[in-house]
Each structure stands twice: as C-alpha cells, then as structure tokens.
Amino acid sequence: MQPSASSPDHLPAAAPASRGSVAEVFWIFLRLGLTSFGGPVAHLGYFRETFVERRRWLSDRAYADLVALCQFLPGPASSQVGMALGLKRAGFAGMLAAWVAFTLPSALALAAFGFGIHALGDLGDAGWLTGLKVAAVAVVAHAVLGMARSLTPDAPRASIAVAALAIALLVPTAWAQVAAIVLAGVIGLVWLRPAVPEAADASGGQGHPFRVRVPMPVAAGSLILFAVLLIGLPVIARLTGSDALQLADVFYRAGALVFGGGHVVLPLLQAELVPTGIVSNDAFLAGYGAAQAVPGPLFTFAAYLGTVSTTSATGAVGAAIALGAVFLPATLLVIGTLPLWQALAGHRLARRALSGVNAGVVGILAAALYQPVFTTGITSALTLVIGAAAFVALSAWKAPAWAVVIAAGLLGLLVL
C-alpha cells in the first residue's frame, strides 16, 4: 500500500529555489552576522527561520541532514552549515561570501576590543545582553518545535529524539552528542520503516537530501590538504621558528580537532596560549567576556586573541592569521565530505538511518535549548515573560528573527 499524502514520508518539500547571486548570499548572511546572538545552537535556529521558513531554499529534512553532517565534523557547526548553504545557493564564491558576511561583524568587533582592551568594562550584567540571551531562547525554541513537527511526527522518531536528549543532558560532552547521533542512526536503520525512494522527490533537489555540486577531485584535494596542514604545520613552525606559523598552527589545530563548537574551543585555546605566554591570562579573560556579547560565531574570538598576541605576529596581522587558521579546517571538511554525505543519502537504507539521525538532531537541539540556552537566558520571571513574548512574535505573528532580537535587546536595556 502506498503511503498517504499526509504520511511523515510525504511531508511537503520546499519550493524549488533558483540559483542565487553571490551578492544575495552576502547581504543575507551579513544581516545574520549582525543579529545572530546566543551561540551556535541559536545560530541554527536563525538559519532555519531564514532559509527554511522564509526563503524556502531547502526543506526541514534537508536542513536536518546538513546539521547532522556538521555535528559529526569538528569545528564550528553553525559556520559550517552557513558555508554549505552559501555553496548550495551560489557555488564556491557563495560559500566564501556566506563565511565572510557571517563572520566579519563579530571578528571586527573583537579585534577592535583587542586594540582597546577593557574599554567596554564588565559586560556580564548588561541589560541589553540579557535581552539578547532571552531572544536566543525564543529563536531556538521556535526552531526545535518546527523541526520536531516535521522530523519526529510519529512515536518511534519522537522516542529517538527523547533518547538523544537524555544522552546529551546526562552526559554533557561533545563526544556524547556524536555518540547519540550515531546511535540514532543505527536505531533508525533497524527500527524505522523504509523512506520514500529518491525518485519520489520532485522538488528539484530542494526536498531531501541536501545537495550541492562539488567535483570529486576538489573534495578529495580538500581532505588531503586538511591532513597535510594538520601534520605539516607544527613541523614547519618548529623548524622555522616563525611566530606567524606558530600562531597558525595553534589555531588550525583548534579548528581541526575540537568537537562541540565555540564553547569547547575557548578553554582549549586558553590551555594552548596562556601557559606558553602567547596571550596573557588577564587579556584572555577580558576577551572571554567580550566574546559572549557579540553576534555570530564564537570562533571569531580567534581574531581578538591574534590581536593581543605577545609574539611578533600581533595586531591586525595576528588577527588575520588566527581567524583564517581557525576556520580553514571547517571549510576544507565541508567541501571534502559533502559529496560522500550526498552519495550515502541517496541510498534507501541510508535514508532510514538518516531519518533516525534527523530525529536525534532534534533531541540534541532540544537538549541545547535547555542547557545552556534556557538556563543562561531565563533567570527571572521578567525574562520568562520577555522570552514568551518573543516566542509568540516569531511563531504567531511571523516576525523576522532579526527584529525580535533587536526588540529584546532594547527591552532588556530598558527594564533588565
């Protein structure tokens, strides 16, 4: 018997989206880079609101496929999702435009703070910052609810999501999250019913799975370059004694080996830079607070650290080296793994596993909604009221996420 049109496997796909321009990608991601507060999980919520709900560049299922891939990869997951979306829309130039636009606002702000360190003072209790954290709660809750409706519509997938949530909350490590996604895929392969064959997707590639054009030689070359730099940079830096190469090595390894995003890479960088004297402990701690107050990816903290470096590679040069090195592994891995991911996603058994993986992603994001997004954003009855109003504005009034963020920040400035 054929599944009905209302069955979970026949969820509406996004409308076909024509190839866009590099300028279009740049300006959309620049606005996101200026307003996406709240950390990597919140960024995924902003992306979903922008590209799945409003612009319909891809379906929820394709978006979840992409998020699942980036959760498997080391580096900044939200930035990797953004790069892949830019690549899908406008090719490699679009990928670069997405990264530059999303990264530039926070990188420039943190580099400027590095030049005028301590100028902003203690940001921890700023009302406007609290308001932005509250807005992030609403954005993530809206994204998780929307993804749950389409990706966990039945008891088996809802159960997988809850299991992933439990693992993520009870074993709060990046490796536990990866294990939860793997387990969700195995359960999906064994338990879930077969997914609709690829031929049933008539959305021109905008349904599922996520598809981009990456030539295999380019993908293979990217993975080879990733490995060569990971092995070769420390050797060359040691042989040459170059401060610039030493700085590049530290940040490249951080971007290449860290799972879990910005919240994980910050303590790792502290362990690499402070004991060696590349950055003083006081300077590191001062910048740590500033990094929480800017939009965009937390990996842009690298720009600040490069600016305040005590080596000869410091200031604007240090910022450029550190920023490029920490994001380069993520870029190479996205380019290198997308063709393999797409090839797997086209197989019937892989679709069953990916159905489980997508349910697991919902659980992982729901866990992150609680910790750290909710626990750091909702700290009083008043913040709960503001958060509820922001959620209603997003879900019922269909207000754009950037407007909700700005409104919450202004409200926080006035009343918090």
Side-chain angles (χ1 to χ4, degrees):
M1 183 176 66
Q2 294 297 321
S4 68
S6 61
S7 72
D9 286 318
H10 273 188
L11 292 169
S18 59
R19 186 175 177 87
S21 69
V22 175
E24 174 198 28
V25 171
F26 181 86
W27 289 114
I28 293 171
F29 274 95
L30 182 62
R31 187 167 65 186
L32 287 166
L34 290 167
T35 58
S36 294
F37 291 87
V41 179
H43 301 162
L44 296 177
Y46 294 119
F47 289 169
R48 181 185 174 276
E49 193 269 345
T50 299
F51 301 112
V52 177
E53 290 199 341
R54 289 192 169 271
R55 299 183 179 273
R56 298 181 67 78
W57 285 9
L58 69 171
S59 68
D60 247 332
R61 193 166 293 184
Y63 182 68
D65 283 356
L66 177 59
V67 171
L69 169 62
C70 295
Q71 293 283 355
F72 277 120
L73 300 176
S78 62
S79 293
Q80 289 167 316
V81 169
M83 291 176 195
L85 289 170
L87 177 62
K88 177 181 179 65
R89 186 67 175 174
F92 288 107
M95 182 182 193
L96 178 61
W99 175 75
V100 170
F102 188 59
T103 305
L104 197 60
S106 56
L108 290 177
L110 289 171
F113 182 73
F115 282 110
I117 195 168
H118 302 308
L120 297 180
D122 183 11
L123 296 169
D125 296 324
W128 63 270
L129 180 57
T130 302
L132 296 176
K133 292 178 181 178
V134 173
V137 175
V139 170
V140 176
H142 180 58
V144 171
L145 183 61
M147 294 179 73
R149 287 192 183 116
S150 60
L151 300 177
T152 59
D154 50 36
R157 279 177 278 195
S159 300
I160 292 173
V162 171
L165 178 146
I167 294 172
L169 287 179
L170 299 177
V171 189
T173 67
W175 287 110
Q177 292 187 16
V178 173
I181 293 175
V182 172
L183 180 61
V186 172
I187 294 174
L189 180 63
V190 174
W191 190 17
L192 298 181
R193 66 181 183 178
V196 172
E198 182 71 13
D201 180 13
S203 63
Q206 300 305 309
H208 58 82
F210 183 84
R211 291 203 178 281
V212 295
R213 292 191 182 94
V214 177
M216 285 305 298
V218 174
S222 296
L223 293 178
I224 292 170
L225 181 58
F226 169 83
V228 167
L229 290 174
L230 185 61
I231 297 170
L233 266 179
V235 176
I236 298 173
R238 191 177 301 112
L239 291 175
T240 62
S242 166
D243 286 346
L245 287 176
Q246 181 186 9
L247 199 66
D249 171 45
V250 169
F251 284 96
Y252 186 87
R253 278 188 289 110
L257 300 176
V258 169
F259 290 86
H263 294 292
V264 179
V265 80
L266 297 189
L268 181 144
L269 288 173
Q270 185 176 29
E272 287 277 353
L273 297 172
V274 173
T276 57
I278 295 176
V279 174
S280 71
N281 191 55
D282 287 345
F284 190 95
L285 294 177
Y288 194 99
Q292 313 304 314
V294 297
L298 281 173
F299 270 56
T300 56
F301 186 46
Y304 166 83
L305 295 173
T307 302
V308 300
S309 166
T310 60
T311 69
S312 61
T314 188
V317 172
I321 292 173
L323 189 67
V326 82
F327 279 101
L328 181 57
T331 306
L332 296 174
L333 286 173
V334 167
I335 295 172
T337 56
L338 272 175
L340 176 61
W341 187 253
Q342 291 173 175
L344 289 174
H347 289 80
R348 184 179 180 86
L349 292 179
R351 286 305 322 167
R352 292 172 61 176
L354 280 174
S355 292
V357 167
N358 291 342
V361 167
V362 173
I364 296 294
L365 295 181
L369 169 60
Y370 173 72
Q371 173 66 34
V373 178
F374 187 92
T375 55
T376 58
I378 306 301
T379 56
S380 65
L382 184 54
T383 55
L384 180 58
V385 170
I386 296 173
F391 179 80
V392 169
L394 284 169
S395 58
W397 291 99
K398 308 300 180 185
W402 62 266
V404 173
V405 170
I406 293 173
L410 291 174
L411 193 58
L413 182 64
L414 294 174
V415 302
L416 296 179

